[in-house]
Amino acid sequence: MQSCYSLLVMALISAAGAGCDDAGRRPIQARPAVEPLAATYTSATATPPAPQLGTTQDKTQRTLQLAPLPLWSRDRQAPTSLLPAIPDGRNLLIARVEEKFASGEANFKAGHLDAARRDFNDAVDWMLEAGYDPNSDPRLGELFHRVIDTVYTYELQAFRAGDGFQETPAVPAPIDEVAEMTFPVDPRLKDRAEQAAKNISHDLPLTVNDEVLSFLNFFQTPRGKAIVETGLRRSGRYREMISRVLKEEGVPQDLIYLAQAESAFQPLALSRAGARGIWQFVPWRGNEYGLKRSWWVDERQDPEKATRAAAQHLRDLYGLFGDWYLAMAAYNCGPGNVQKGVERTGYADFWELYRRNVLPRETKNYVPIIVALTLIAKDAAHYGIRTELEQPVPSDLVKPGRAIDLRLVAETIDVDVETLRSLNPSLLRMATPDDPSFALHLPKGTAEKFSGEIADIPPEKWVSWRRHRVEAGETLTSLAKKYHVTAPAIAAANSLGRSDVLSPGDKLIIPASQPVGETKSRLVRYRVRKGDTLGGIADQFSVNPEQLRKWNGLKTARVSRGMVLRVYTIGGAPEAVPVRKRSTKKTSPGVSTASSSTRTRKTP
């Protein structure tokens, strides 16, 4: 036994010395391949050959056998703890949580929000870290859910503005559908594509190889063509703005096709990893480039702000790698992953990293997708694609100065709410934030009307009061019933007498109030899917990742496929994958369609 261990130690020391010596002789140098499509490998970059059967090295490896190590057996009984047992631990825990929770409620009602938040966090932390499963004890389970529900409701009330708690529905990001697929190559496309590439102007390199041709082939299929046509059509709405911003930031104009690949120019696009907007920023990267995110606003969905952030980020990545293909790859998987690939292979060339399989699969496909879309977009007719571009939508900018319900804005300027939402895709709720610097986009020519008519309503009522245009047959009583207020309250707000008759077309102020029940949080169970991250799941439900971690007793931010997470969200949502077999039920009217769309889009 001792001789075996000695042999092992000597072998390890020899291997370590050889490795260090070899590393000293062969320093890694990052350099572009001279011929990307037919690269030659020198001894400076080649991988040492594996030992062949029958060699001395192989015999040594095959004859060196180690005796089993004395590992701990799972069947062996665990040692008895020498620590004294805690008497009646559950009762003590319940008493402490109740006390802290009561303190939090008192602080909240007194307006001490920071102190209340600390108390509530302590109450939840104690329950999660005490080592007891809330679901295994009826008293703990009832207390846990009561605390969570109440805390979440209080938190929303603290930032309450109208009933804007339902997040704007997101749409799936096209890159999720395409980036992990592989497609056959149509040899007939190669000559046509190469010839077309020579006849179009471009300020990014356009490589035509089998990888690019495979996606050109996919974009000729009905599904692929629909993706291209949707993106090209929507690009018309933002093309002028994007071109201007890219020029101002000093980056190539053809980078616009990165946005086509990422989102098909849909500001509400949401990926499985929680990336949002036309340029698909994840939260922390968006924050790095000045894109703010709050309960009410996510500037990753603001087309112009996100475009400027993307241009600056791509410019920084190009400065790091000196190559636009590598910059685009780093935009997808992060500069650290690309840098590691360059260091491992010694090549600062995307196609070399592709062939040597040192990049994530999605990133390997990412650059060919963008190149293929660029070739098609620049010569759509050549590829049998015809579509009319949407026109840019001009708008007026106003700064309300404080929170205001979008429905009140729409009723004031006589437009529909969806028009306002499309002009303000960064708004996550049905209300603007209580931020004096926030600029609201209105349809062109309506700013003056808005400013004149909104003055009739006290600013502190902008989040709860409404306007209503009277229709034939409506009375104060019927309107009071519709808006859950009293007829005298409507009459007083509009200086009407009891005997006044309403005329069709009259516009009334409705002193409505938020129904208390709409702030109730609901439990949603979400089954983790491949590619999900804790941050991405939290973003889908518009909750804080730290909250999500606490609700599920997670010690780290790591989640694994198949794990079922508890999420407390306003309105609730249907489960993406049923946790257990159950009878079919109709969706509740309070269910959030936003969460449903973001979590079920990948279901076949």
Side-chain angles (χ1 to χ4, degrees):
M1 175 68 73
Q2 183 64 37
S3 61
C4 288
Y5 286 143
S6 301
L7 283 173
L8 176 61
V9 172
M10 293 176 64
L12 291 174
I13 294 174
S14 300
C20 293
D21 184 55
D22 185 58
R25 292 198 307 269
R26 300 190 288 106
I28 295 176
Q29 296 180 350
R31 59 185 184 283
V34 177
E35 296 178 340
L37 299 181
T40 58
Y41 301 94
T42 65
S43 59
T45 59
T47 303
Q52 299 179 1
L53 292 176
T55 64
T56 302
Q57 181 181 0
D58 178 65
K59 290 178 181 178
T60 302
Q61 291 175 342
R62 287 187 289 112
T63 57
L64 183 59
Q65 301 292 331
L66 297 179
L69 297 177
L71 299 176
W72 185 268
S73 173
R74 292 184 178 181
D75 298 329
R76 186 172 177 179
Q77 186 176 1
T80 304
S81 174
L82 300 178
L83 297 175
I86 299 176
D88 202 13
R90 283 185 173 84
N91 288 338
L92 179 61
L93 172 64
I94 291 173
R96 293 186 67 190
V97 170
E98 290 277 17
E99 180 181 352
K100 184 63 72 171
F101 179 57
S103 174
E105 286 195 299
N107 277 319
F108 179 84
K109 293 174 182 178
H112 305 149
L113 299 185
D114 288 339
R117 186 183 297 274
R118 287 194 297 269
D119 286 339
F120 291 148
N121 283 342
D122 287 344
V124 175
D125 284 342
W126 285 346
M127 297 190 71
L128 292 176
E129 295 172 6
Y132 299 114
D133 180 4
N135 295 321
S136 66
D137 186 297
R139 296 175 303 161
L140 278 175
E142 187 278 331
L143 177 60
F144 181 78
H145 298 311
R146 176 161 58 88
V147 170
I148 289 293
D149 284 348
T150 306
V151 169
Y152 198 62
T153 299
Y154 280 168
E155 183 175 1
L156 292 182
Q157 289 176 352
F159 299 99
R160 177 178 167 184
D163 61 353
F165 299 134
Q166 298 288 349
E167 186 173 338
T168 304
V171 296
I175 197 69
D176 276 349
E177 178 179 350
V178 184
E180 294 186 356
M181 297 182 179
T182 55
F183 307 97
V185 176
D186 185 349
R188 296 171 298 178
L189 278 176
K190 185 171 185 180
D191 292 339
R192 292 172 53 198
E194 288 178 342
Q195 187 62 34
K198 295 177 182 178
N199 297 330
I200 58 177
S201 61
H202 53 90
D203 54 8
L204 281 179
L206 293 179
T207 301
V208 178
N209 55 20
D210 284 350
E211 289 76 22
V212 173
L213 289 172
S214 69
F215 286 102
L216 276 176
N217 188 35
F218 168 69
F219 290 130
Q220 301 292 292
T221 65
R223 177 58 189 148
K225 186 174 291 187
I227 293 175
V228 174
E229 289 175 346
T230 298
L232 286 179
R233 183 175 64 253
R234 292 187 60 83
S235 71
R237 179 176 297 195
Y238 305 108
R239 185 176 294 273
E240 292 180 8
M241 178 273 293
I242 293 176
S243 177
R244 169 176 55 80
V245 173
L246 295 180
K247 183 177 180 181
E248 291 171 355
E249 296 297 334
V251 296
Q253 291 287 307
D254 286 349
L255 288 175
I256 188 175
Y257 301 111
L258 186 149
Q260 167 128 359
E262 288 277 16
S263 66
F265 299 99
Q266 299 178 95
L268 302 184
L270 174 66
S271 76
R272 288 178 303 172
R276 281 184 181 262
I278 285 178
W279 296 92
Q280 288 291 280
F281 276 99
V282 293
W284 64 271
R285 183 70 75 186
N287 183 66
E288 188 178 59
Y289 283 87
L291 299 179
K292 300 176 183 177
R293 178 175 178 267
S294 69
W295 179 257
W296 306 107
V297 175
D298 194 330
E299 291 183 344
R300 293 177 295 166
Q301 296 181 178
D302 184 297
E304 182 160 351
K305 290 182 179 180
T307 297
R308 191 166 300 279
Q312 293 172 354
H313 184 35
L314 285 162
R315 185 182 61 201
D316 291 345
L317 292 172
Y318 180 77
L320 181 63
F321 295 104
D323 179 276
W324 283 113
Y325 282 0
L326 290 180
M328 289 188 288
Y331 188 93
N332 177 256
C333 68
N337 286 323
V338 175
Q339 187 67 40
K340 289 177 184 176
V342 171
E343 292 173 354
R344 286 177 59 188
T345 64
Y347 282 92
D349 177 83
F350 173 78
W351 299 112
E352 283 297 331
L353 302 186
Y354 185 106
R355 274 186 288 275
R356 291 169 181 252
N357 201 32
V358 294
L359 295 175
R361 180 178 179 181
E362 179 182 332
T363 304
K364 288 176 63 177
N365 290 341
Y366 186 73
V367 172
I369 288 172
I370 295 172
V371 175
L373 286 173
T374 303
L375 290 169
I376 293 174
K378 285 181 171 289
D379 194 6
H382 179 82
Y383 294 95
I385 294 177
R386 293 174 175 81
T387 185
E388 292 186 8
L389 302 183
E390 295 181 7
Q391 295 301 309
V393 180
S395 64
D396 291 340
L397 275 178
V398 297
K399 292 185 177 181
R402 61 188 305 157
I404 186 170
D405 194 303
L406 287 186
R407 292 171 301 181
L408 176 60
V409 177
E411 292 156 358
T412 299
I413 60 176
D414 296 310
V415 300
D416 59 274
V417 173
E418 288 310 310
T419 296
L420 286 179
R421 281 193 157 184
S422 66
L423 288 173
N424 299 275
S426 67
L427 283 177
L428 299 177
R429 316 290 164 186
M430 283 290 290
T432 67
D434 192 10
D435 179 0
S437 67
F438 178 78
L440 182 67
H441 289 262
L442 302 180
K444 190 70 175 178
T446 62
E448 186 175 347
K449 181 179 182 181
F450 170 77
S451 300
E453 293 196 17
I454 200 64
D456 295 337
I457 298 178
E460 65 272 14
K461 303 298 185 182
W462 286 355
V463 296
S464 56
W465 286 20
R466 301 282 298 278
R467 285 185 182 272
H468 179 85
R469 189 174 294 280
V470 178
E471 298 180 2
E474 289 184 324
T475 64
L476 287 178
T477 301
S478 66
L479 291 178
K481 183 177 181 180
K482 178 178 180 179
Y483 289 99
H484 306 287
V485 293
T486 64
I490 298 177
N494 294 274
S495 301
L496 296 175
R498 292 186 177 181
S499 59
D500 288 347
V501 178
L502 302 182
S503 301
D506 287 348
K507 186 180 286 187
L508 301 180
I509 296 172
I510 309 294
S513 60
Q514 162 88 7
V516 175
E518 294 191 17
T519 63
K520 179 68 174 176
S521 62
R522 297 190 182 184
L523 171 64
V524 176
R525 297 184 186 275
Y526 177 80
R527 189 181 294 279
V528 178
R529 296 180 173 191
K530 181 181 178 182
D532 278 345
T533 63
L534 189 74
I537 296 170
D539 198 48
Q540 290 181 23
F541 289 95
S542 295
V543 298
N544 188 286
E546 189 63 18
Q547 290 177 315
L548 191 57
R549 187 186 66 79
K550 288 181 179 180
W551 293 336
N552 293 278
L554 301 176
K555 296 182 179 179
T556 68
R558 189 171 183 178
V559 293
S560 56
R561 184 178 181 180
M563 182 184 294
V564 178
L565 300 180
R566 305 167 69 91
V567 186
Y568 289 87
T569 181
I570 289 298
E575 298 176 13
V577 180
V579 178
R580 64 180 68 86
K581 197 170 184 180
R582 65 183 69 183
S583 59
T584 303
K585 296 181 180 179
K586 293 185 179 179
T587 303
S588 169
V591 165
S592 168
T593 57
S595 298
S596 175
S597 65
T598 60
R599 290 177 290 123
T600 59
R601 62 184 185 278
K602 298 295 287 186
T603 303

